[in-house]
């Protein structure tokens, strides 16, 4: 599942969403990654694998991007989780 978004995110909200992926209610998530515009003007880069979350500030991109890889993914649930 993947999406591009111009929405601005809060780092804590991204971390909470990534932790929620560990719950199993969004399918068998093997990996998630993305670059998202932050509300403060910076860019949030993240990588997720089950049990490990890495969120950091990085270089800008043209638009925000989210990608979630796995099986039996609840695509609508993931979209709602990230608010996109």
């Amino acid at each position: 599942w993947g999406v591009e978004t111009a929405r601005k995110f809060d780092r804590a909200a991204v971390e909470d969403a990534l932790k929620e992926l560990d719950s199993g209610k969004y399918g068998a998530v093997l990996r998630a990654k993305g670059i998202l515009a932050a509300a403060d003007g910076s860019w949030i880069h993240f990588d997720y694998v089950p049990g490990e979350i890495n969120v950091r500030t990085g270089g800008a991109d043209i638009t925000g991007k989210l990608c979630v890889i796995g099986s039996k993914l609840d695509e609508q649930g993931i979209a709602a989780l990230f608010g996109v």
Side-chain angles (χ1 to χ4, degrees):
W1 174 86
V3 67
E4 290 186 357
T5 180
R7 180 174 178 255
K8 297 198 183 295
F9 291 80
D10 175 69
R11 182 183 176 125
V14 171
E15 290 172 348
D16 289 344
L18 294 173
K19 289 175 188 171
E20 201 46 37
L21 291 178
D22 266 338
S23 70
K25 67 182 184 181
Y26 298 97
V29 179
L30 302 175
R31 178 155 190 211
K33 59 190 268 181
I35 301 171
L36 303 168
D40 67 3
S42 65
W43 286 80
I44 301 166
H45 292 231
F46 70 84
D47 292 289
Y48 162 90
V49 293
E52 186 178 328
I53 296 169
N54 181 350
V55 179
R56 61 204 175 278
T57 302
D61 205 343
I62 295 169
T63 188
K65 297 175 180 94
L66 280 157
C67 178
V68 179
I69 301 165
S71 68
K72 299 181 183 173
L73 296 177
D74 176 2
E75 295 181 8
Q76 290 181 343
I78 294 169
L81 178 66
F82 284 96
V84 294

